[in-house]
Coordinates of all heavy atoms in Angstrom, one line a residue:
Chain B
A43 N -15.0 -1.6 15.6 CA -13.9 -2.2 16.3 C -14.2 -2.2 17.8 O -14.0 -3.2 18.5 CB -12.6 -1.5 16.1
V44 N -14.7 -1.1 18.3 CA -15.1 -1.0 19.7 C -16.2 -2.0 20.1 O -16.1 -2.7 21.1 CB -15.5 0.5 20.1 CG1 -16.1 0.5 21.5 CG2 -14.4 1.4 19.9
L45 N -17.1 -2.1 19.2 CA -18.2 -3.0 19.4 C -17.7 -4.5 19.4 O -18.1 -5.3 20.3 CB -19.2 -2.9 18.2 CG -20.6 -3.6 18.4 CD1 -21.3 -3.0 19.6 CD2 -21.4 -3.5 17.1
I46 N -16.8 -4.8 18.6 CA -16.2 -6.2 18.5 C -15.5 -6.5 19.9 O -15.7 -7.5 20.5 CB -15.2 -6.3 17.4 CG1 -15.9 -6.3 16.0 CG2 -14.3 -7.6 17.5 CD1 -15.0 -6.2 14.8
V47 N -14.8 -5.5 20.4 CA -14.1 -5.7 21.6 C -15.1 -5.9 22.8 O -14.9 -6.8 23.6 CB -13.1 -4.5 21.9 CG1 -12.5 -4.6 23.3 CG2 -12.0 -4.5 20.9
F48 N -16.1 -5.1 22.8 CA -17.1 -5.2 23.9 C -17.9 -6.5 23.8 O -18.1 -7.1 24.9 CB -18.1 -4.0 23.8 CG -17.7 -2.8 24.6 CD1 -17.0 -1.7 24.0 CD2 -17.8 -2.8 26.0 CE1 -16.6 -0.7 24.7 CE2 -17.4 -1.7 26.7 CZ -16.8 -0.6 26.1
L49 N -18.2 -6.9 22.6 CA -18.9 -8.2 22.5 C -18.1 -9.4 23.0 O -18.5 -10.2 23.7 CB -19.4 -8.4 21.1 CG -20.6 -7.6 20.6 CD1 -20.9 -7.8 19.1 CD2 -21.8 -7.9 21.4
L50 N -16.8 -9.3 22.6 CA -15.9 -10.4 23.0 C -15.7 -10.3 24.5 O -15.6 -11.4 25.2 CB -14.5 -10.2 22.3 CG -14.5 -10.7 20.8 CD1 -13.2 -10.3 20.1 CD2 -14.6 -12.3 20.8
A51 N -15.6 -9.1 25.0 CA -15.4 -8.9 26.5 C -16.5 -9.6 27.3 O -16.3 -10.0 28.5 CB -15.3 -7.5 26.8
A52 N -17.7 -9.7 26.7 CA -18.9 -10.3 27.4 C -18.9 -11.8 27.4 O -19.6 -12.4 28.2 CB -20.1 -9.7 26.8
T53 N -18.0 -12.4 26.5 CA -18.1 -13.9 26.4 C -17.8 -14.6 27.7 O -18.5 -15.6 28.0 CB -17.2 -14.4 25.3 OG1 -15.9 -13.9 25.4 CG2 -17.8 -14.1 23.9
P54 N -16.8 -14.2 28.5 CA -16.6 -14.9 29.8 C -17.9 -14.8 30.7 O -18.1 -15.8 31.5 CB -15.4 -14.1 30.4 CG -14.7 -13.5 29.3 CD -15.8 -13.2 28.3
L55 N -18.6 -13.7 30.6 CA -19.8 -13.6 31.4 C -20.8 -14.7 31.0 O -21.5 -15.4 31.8 CB -20.4 -12.2 31.3 CG -19.5 -11.1 31.6 CD1 -20.2 -9.7 31.4 CD2 -19.0 -11.2 33.1
V56 N -20.9 -14.9 29.7 CA -21.8 -15.9 29.1 C -21.3 -17.3 29.6 O -22.1 -18.1 30.0 CB -21.8 -15.8 27.6 CG1 -22.6 -16.9 27.0 CG2 -22.3 -14.5 27.1
A57 N -20.0 -17.5 29.5 CA -19.5 -18.8 29.9 C -19.8 -19.1 31.4 O -20.2 -20.2 31.7 CB -18.0 -18.8 29.7
R58 N -19.7 -18.0 32.2 CA -20.0 -18.2 33.6 C -21.5 -18.5 33.8 O -21.8 -19.5 34.6 CB -19.6 -17.0 34.4 CG -18.2 -16.9 34.7 CD -17.9 -16.4 36.2 NE -16.5 -16.5 36.6 CZ -15.6 -15.6 36.4 NH1 -15.9 -14.4 35.9 NH2 -14.3 -15.8 36.7
A59 N -22.3 -17.8 33.1 CA -23.7 -18.0 33.3 C -24.1 -19.4 32.9 O -25.0 -20.0 33.5 CB -24.5 -16.9 32.5
L60 N -23.5 -19.9 31.8 CA -23.9 -21.2 31.3 C -23.1 -22.3 32.0 O -23.3 -23.5 31.7 CB -23.6 -21.2 29.7 CG -24.5 -20.3 28.9 CD1 -24.1 -20.4 27.4 CD2 -26.0 -20.6 29.0
G61 N -22.1 -21.9 32.8 CA -21.3 -22.8 33.4 C -20.4 -23.7 32.5 O -20.2 -24.8 32.6
D62 N -20.0 -23.0 31.4 CA -19.3 -23.8 30.3 C -18.0 -23.0 30.0 O -17.9 -22.2 29.1 CB -20.2 -23.9 29.1 CG -19.5 -24.7 28.0 OD1 -18.4 -25.2 28.2 OD2 -20.1 -24.9 26.9
P63 N -16.9 -23.4 30.7 CA -15.6 -22.6 30.5 C -15.1 -22.9 29.1 O -14.2 -22.1 28.7 CB -14.7 -23.2 31.6 CG -15.4 -24.5 32.0 CD -16.8 -24.4 31.8
F64 N -15.5 -23.9 28.4 CA -15.0 -24.1 27.1 C -15.3 -22.9 26.2 O -14.5 -22.7 25.3 CB -15.8 -25.4 26.5 CG -15.3 -25.8 25.1 CD1 -14.0 -26.2 24.9 CD2 -16.1 -25.7 24.0 CE1 -13.5 -26.6 23.7 CE2 -15.7 -26.0 22.7 CZ -14.4 -26.5 22.6
I65 N -16.3 -22.2 26.4 CA -16.6 -21.0 25.6 C -15.5 -20.0 25.7 O -15.1 -19.4 24.7 CB -17.9 -20.3 26.1 CG1 -19.1 -21.2 25.8 CG2 -18.1 -18.9 25.5 CD1 -20.4 -20.7 26.3

Side-chain angles (χ1 to χ4, degrees):
Chain B
V44 173
L45 190 66
I46 289 168
V47 171
F48 270 99
L49 286 177
L50 282 168
T53 49
L55 307 177
V56 175
R58 279 223 168 91
L60 297 175
D62 186 359
F64 182 66
I65 291 177

